[in-house]
Coordinates of all heavy atoms in Angstrom, one line a residue:
Chain A
Y32 N 4.5 9.2 -7.1 CA 4.0 10.6 -7.5 C 3.8 11.3 -6.2 O 2.9 11.0 -5.5 CB 2.8 10.5 -8.3 CG 2.9 9.6 -9.5 CD1 1.9 8.6 -9.8 CD2 4.0 9.7 -10.4 CE1 2.1 7.8 -11.0 CE2 4.1 8.8 -11.5 CZ 3.1 7.9 -11.8 OH 3.3 7.1 -12.9
Y36 N 1.5 20.0 0.0 CA 0.4 21.0 0.1 C 0.6 21.7 1.4 O 1.2 21.2 2.4 CB -0.9 20.3 0.2 CG -1.4 19.8 -1.2 CD1 -1.1 18.5 -1.7 CD2 -2.3 20.5 -2.0 CE1 -1.5 18.1 -2.9 CE2 -2.8 20.1 -3.1 CZ -2.4 18.8 -3.7 OH -2.9 18.4 -4.8
Q38 N -1.6 24.2 4.3 CA -2.9 24.6 4.8 C -2.7 25.7 5.8 O -2.1 25.6 6.9 CB -3.6 23.4 5.4 CG -5.0 23.8 5.9 CD -5.7 22.5 6.5 OE1 -5.1 21.7 7.1 NE2 -7.0 22.5 6.3
R42 N -8.5 27.3 6.2 CA -8.5 27.3 4.7 C -8.3 25.9 4.2 O -8.1 25.0 4.9 CB -7.3 28.2 4.3 CG -7.3 29.6 4.8 CD -8.4 30.4 4.3 NE -8.3 30.6 2.8 CZ -7.6 31.6 2.3 NH1 -6.9 32.4 3.0 NH2 -7.6 31.7 1.0
K49 N 5.3 19.2 -6.8 CA 5.1 17.8 -7.1 C 6.3 17.3 -7.8 O 7.1 17.9 -8.4 CB 3.8 17.6 -8.0 CG 4.0 18.1 -9.4 CD 2.8 18.0 -10.2 CE 2.9 18.7 -11.6 NZ 1.7 18.8 -12.3
R94 N 0.4 9.9 -4.5 CA -0.7 9.6 -5.3 C -0.9 8.1 -5.5 O 0.1 7.5 -6.0 CB -0.7 10.3 -6.6 CG -1.9 10.3 -7.6 CD -1.7 11.2 -8.7 NE -2.9 11.3 -9.5 CZ -3.1 12.1 -10.6 NH1 -2.0 12.9 -10.9 NH2 -4.2 12.2 -11.2
M96 N -2.5 5.4 -7.7 CA -3.2 5.1 -8.9 C -3.3 3.6 -9.1 O -3.5 3.2 -10.3 CB -2.6 5.9 -10.0 CG -2.6 7.4 -9.8 SD -1.9 8.3 -11.1 CE -3.2 8.2 -12.4
T100 N -7.9 3.2 -9.1 CA -8.3 4.4 -8.4 C -7.4 5.5 -8.6 O -6.4 5.5 -9.4 CB -8.3 4.1 -6.8 OG1 -8.9 5.2 -6.1 CG2 -6.9 3.9 -6.3
D101 N -7.7 6.7 -8.0 CA -6.8 7.8 -8.1 C -7.1 8.7 -6.9 O -8.2 9.3 -6.8 CB -7.1 8.6 -9.4 CG -6.2 9.8 -9.6 OD1 -5.3 10.0 -8.8 OD2 -6.5 10.6 -10.5
K102 N -6.2 8.6 -5.9 CA -6.4 9.4 -4.7 C -5.1 9.7 -4.1 O -4.1 9.1 -4.4 CB -7.2 8.5 -3.7 CG -6.6 7.2 -3.4 CD -7.6 6.3 -2.6 CE -6.9 4.9 -2.3 NZ -7.9 4.0 -1.8
L103 N -5.2 10.7 -3.2 CA -4.0 11.2 -2.5 C -4.0 10.5 -1.1 O -5.0 10.6 -0.4 CB -4.0 12.7 -2.4 CG -3.7 13.5 -3.7 CD1 -3.9 15.0 -3.4 CD2 -2.3 13.2 -4.2
Chain B
Y33 N -13.1 14.5 -5.7 CA -12.6 13.7 -4.6 C -13.1 14.4 -3.3 O -13.1 15.6 -3.2 CB -11.1 13.6 -4.5 CG -10.4 13.4 -5.8 CD1 -10.2 14.4 -6.7 CD2 -10.0 12.1 -6.2 CE1 -9.6 14.2 -8.0 CE2 -9.4 11.9 -7.4 CZ -9.2 12.9 -8.3 OH -8.6 12.7 -9.5
Y35 N -12.5 14.4 0.9 CA -11.6 14.1 2.0 C -12.2 14.6 3.3 O -12.9 15.6 3.3 CB -10.2 14.7 1.8 CG -9.4 14.1 0.7 CD1 -9.6 14.6 -0.7 CD2 -8.5 13.1 0.8 CE1 -8.9 14.1 -1.7 CE2 -7.8 12.6 -0.2 CZ -8.0 13.1 -1.5 OH -7.3 12.6 -2.6
Q37 N -11.2 15.8 7.3 CA -10.1 16.1 8.2 C -10.7 16.3 9.6 O -11.5 17.2 9.9 CB -9.4 17.4 7.8 CG -8.2 17.8 8.7 CD -7.5 19.1 8.2 OE1 -8.1 20.0 7.6 NE2 -6.2 19.1 8.4
D56 N -14.2 5.0 -6.6 CA -13.6 4.4 -5.5 C -14.3 5.0 -4.2 O -14.1 6.2 -4.0 CB -12.1 4.7 -5.5 CG -11.3 4.1 -4.3 OD1 -12.1 3.5 -3.4 OD2 -10.1 4.1 -4.2
G99 N -4.2 12.2 -15.5 CA -3.0 12.2 -16.1 C -2.0 12.1 -15.0 O -2.2 12.6 -13.9
R100 N -0.8 11.5 -15.2 CA 0.1 11.3 -14.0 C 0.6 12.7 -13.5 O 0.9 12.8 -12.3 CB 1.3 10.5 -14.5 CG 1.1 9.1 -14.9 CD 2.4 8.4 -15.2 NE 3.2 9.2 -16.1 CZ 4.5 9.0 -16.3 NH1 5.1 7.9 -15.7 NH2 5.2 9.7 -17.1
D101 N 0.7 13.7 -14.4 CA 1.3 14.9 -14.0 C 0.3 16.0 -13.7 O 0.7 17.2 -13.5 CB 2.2 15.4 -15.2 CG 1.4 15.6 -16.5 OD1 0.3 15.1 -16.5 OD2 2.0 16.1 -17.5
T102 N -0.9 15.6 -13.4 CA -1.9 16.6 -12.9 C -1.9 16.7 -11.4 O -1.6 15.6 -10.8 CB -3.3 16.3 -13.5 OG1 -3.7 15.0 -13.1 CG2 -3.3 16.4 -15.0
E103 N -2.4 17.7 -10.9 CA -2.5 17.8 -9.5 C -4.0 18.1 -9.1 O -4.7 18.7 -10.0 CB -1.6 18.8 -8.8 CG -1.8 20.3 -9.3 CD -0.9 20.7 -10.4 OE1 -0.3 19.7 -11.0 OE2 -0.8 21.8 -10.6
A104 N -4.4 17.8 -8.0 CA -5.7 18.1 -7.5 C -5.7 19.5 -6.8 O -4.8 19.9 -6.1 CB -6.3 17.1 -6.5
Q108 N -12.2 25.3 -0.1 CA -12.0 25.8 1.2 C -12.5 24.9 2.3 O -12.2 25.2 3.5 CB -12.6 27.2 1.3 CG -12.1 28.2 0.2 CD -10.9 29.0 0.7 OE1 -10.0 28.4 1.4 NE2 -10.9 30.2 0.4

Side-chain angles (χ1 to χ4, degrees):
Chain A
Y32 304 134
Y36 285 84
Q38 184 180 31
R42 302 292 295 276
K49 64 187 176 188
R94 189 171 186 176
M96 301 180 75
T100 191
D101 183 7
K102 59 192 177 190
L103 291 171
Chain B
Y33 316 82
Y35 293 83
Q37 185 178 33
D56 180 356
R100 295 184 312 167
D101 57 350
T102 59
E103 62 266 15
Q108 302 271 39

